[in-house]
Amino acid sequence: MAEQNNNTSELTMEDAYKYLKVTKNPDGSLTRSPQVPNVPSNPEVDPNSPNKLVSLSKDIPLNPTTNTFIRLYRPVSPPPSNVKLPLIIYFHGGGFMLLSVSSIIFHESCNVMSSQFPAVIASVEYRLAPENRLPAAYDDAVDAMKWARDQAVNGGEPWLKEFVDFSKVFLMGSSSGGNIVYHAGLRALDMDLDPIKIVGLIMNQPFFGGVKRTESQLKFVHDKIVPLHVNDLMWSLALPEGANHDHEYCNPLIKEAELKEKIKRLPRCLIRGYAGDPLVDGQKSFAKMVESHGVHVTPQFLETGHHAVEIFDPKSAQDLYDSIKDFVKSICDENVGKSAM
């Protein structure tokens, strides 16, 4: 990968590997030392457990060839049978190279969101880089959307058959997951997904970049979560071999002119960021670009916080959940109004 010519950090890629506690193997794969524990799904309530579940979860194979799966969540106490829930297809963060749907931080987040919204959440175990460079994660997102479509047609999964309104499907992701949401949303426009309908994209602190450093990147070179050298390592491992940060997977503005007819067909978008995030300037530019093509964008850029703040601060997490709940509810209520006309 081409090195950035305006890297003001003295830290190296080797430092980044140490920071992330990963080791590069001779074959190009990684040995990862998990910093976040994995937890199993909870398919049923255990009356003897001291922990009170708010959502149930279970793992469902997605694509046996790629060894992907979905961890599905639904509220322990769903609404009456005549009230159907939205389906949220969720993509976790981790710079495309770390973590899993089983990581406790994402598992517990999906538990809470499924209960509070309420919604059925399909958290996608997509393939990680560098063993599977982009667009592998986008391909897995396509598999997830096709899976939802097939469920709507065939009704094989009882939780979806019983609880889901397939006309209210959202794509949601944080950080690299937010990046996946955008690219999956574009791909969905070329797919026959009938009878499901993707009505909203939720991008929390989406992971984008570009060859030119932004002011926020330079300001937060030594950020505690995504310092510049770590940001560069993640992209060097995720992008196709030889690509730089102006590849379309990293920089969504590069192909704006070419994709403008497609971009304007995107559904409503919630794009959220925080002032202390090195990525925030890129996120703001992305939000303005999407909105400039007539897409209904709800931009939420807070003057506090940092990248992945919701993982560390329960109040920030609840604020995020409340914002997403309001966004989902507004679209679902709007669709009900349209169907009644």
Side-chain angles (χ1 to χ4, degrees), residues 40-60:
S41 57
N42 301 297
E44 56 189 25
V45 175
D46 179 0
N48 299 316
S49 173
N51 300 317
K52 184 178 180 181
L53 286 176
V54 293
S55 295
L56 302 180
S57 56
K58 59 182 172 180
D59 295 339
I60 300 169

Side-chain angles (χ1 to χ4, degrees), residues 34-40 69 71 73 90 92-94 98-110 123 125 128:
Q35 301 177 61
V36 178
N38 289 340
V39 292
F69 67 91
R71 180 162 289 186
Y73 298 81
Y90 175 79
H92 67 79
L98 297 171
L99 305 174
S100 161
V101 301
S102 304
S103 300
I104 190 169
I105 52 177
F106 301 127
H107 176 74
E108 291 303 331
S109 177
C110 287
S123 185
E125 181 76 347
L128 299 179

Side-chain angles (χ1 to χ4, degrees), residues 250-288:
C250 178
N251 187 346
L253 277 62
I254 285 297
K255 288 201 171 182
E256 177 186 359
E258 182 180 331
L259 296 175
K260 65 180 181 180
E261 292 302 316
K262 185 177 286 189
I263 293 171
K264 71 182 184 182
R265 294 167 49 210
L266 289 172
R268 287 177 58 178
C269 297
L270 171 62
I271 304 172
R272 188 176 173 94
Y274 298 90
D277 185 352
L279 307 177
V280 71
D281 285 350
Q283 294 158 1
K284 288 179 178 178
S285 296
F286 167 70
K288 289 177 181 177

Side-chain angles (χ1 to χ4, degrees), residues 191-238:
M191 297 168 61
D192 180 7
L193 292 174
D194 189 63
I196 76 167
K197 185 177 180 183
I198 296 175
V199 294
L201 307 181
I202 302 165
M203 291 167 273
N204 177 41
Q205 310 158 72
F207 187 35
F208 293 122
V211 166
K212 183 179 179 181
R213 303 299 194 189
T214 65
E215 288 186 16
S216 59
Q217 283 181 310
L218 297 175
K219 181 179 180 181
F220 299 112
V221 166
H222 300 293
D223 180 66
K224 297 296 185 183
I225 309 299
V226 276
L228 200 58
H229 67 304
V230 170
N231 173 87
D232 288 349
L233 175 63
M234 288 176 165
W235 280 119
S236 73
L237 297 177

Side-chain angles (χ1 to χ4, degrees), residues 19-247:
Y19 181 92
L20 295 174
K21 294 183 171 57
V22 296
T23 305
K24 189 174 182 180
N25 301 318
D27 64 357
S29 65
L30 296 180
T31 298
R32 299 166 174 85
S33 301
Q35 301 177 61
V36 178
N38 289 340
V39 292
S41 57
N42 301 297
E44 56 189 25
V45 175
D46 179 0
N48 299 316
S49 173
N51 300 317
K52 184 178 180 181
L53 286 176
V54 293
S55 295
L56 302 180
S57 56
K58 59 182 172 180
D59 295 339
I60 300 169
L62 178 58
N63 186 333
T65 303
T66 55
N67 201 32
T68 53
F69 67 91
I70 283 173
R71 180 162 289 186
L72 195 65
Y73 298 81
R74 65 95 160 165
V76 169
S77 302
S81 58
N82 64 326
V83 178
K84 298 294 187 179
L85 302 178
L87 172 66
I88 297 175
I89 302 176
Y90 175 79
F91 304 96
H92 67 79
F96 298 107
M97 56 174 286
L98 297 171
L99 305 174
S100 161
V101 301
S102 304
S103 300
I104 190 169
I105 52 177
F106 301 127
H107 176 74
E108 291 303 331
S109 177
C110 287
N111 265 331
V112 173
M113 290 190 294
S114 178
S115 172
Q116 287 191 9
F117 289 173
V120 172
I121 296 179
S123 185
V124 182
E125 181 76 347
Y126 57 86
R127 289 169 289 170
L128 299 179
E131 294 86 352
N132 299 279
R133 291 175 176 268
L134 295 174
Y138 306 151
D139 295 338
D140 297 340
V142 168
D143 283 347
M145 292 186 289
K146 289 180 177 177
W147 169 83
R149 177 197 63 194
D150 293 345
Q151 291 296 326
V153 173
N154 300 318
E157 168 49 52
W159 285 5
L160 272 69
K161 183 177 182 180
E162 185 174 356
F163 300 117
V164 166
D165 180 345
F166 288 101
S167 70
K168 300 172 183 175
V169 179
F170 295 79
L171 305 182
M172 175 188 170
S174 294
S175 195
S176 55
N179 176 299
I180 294 171
V181 165
Y182 174 64
H183 289 284
L186 289 176
R187 288 192 178 200
L189 299 173
D190 294 327
M191 297 168 61
D192 180 7
L193 292 174
D194 189 63
I196 76 167
K197 185 177 180 183
I198 296 175
V199 294
L201 307 181
I202 302 165
M203 291 167 273
N204 177 41
Q205 310 158 72
F207 187 35
F208 293 122
V211 166
K212 183 179 179 181
R213 303 299 194 189
T214 65
E215 288 186 16
S216 59
Q217 283 181 310
L218 297 175
K219 181 179 180 181
F220 299 112
V221 166
H222 300 293
D223 180 66
K224 297 296 185 183
I225 309 299
V226 276
L228 200 58
H229 67 304
V230 170
N231 173 87
D232 288 349
L233 175 63
M234 288 176 165
W235 280 119
S236 73
L237 297 177
L239 289 170
E241 293 278 4
N244 68 16
H245 289 201
D246 275 344
H247 190 282

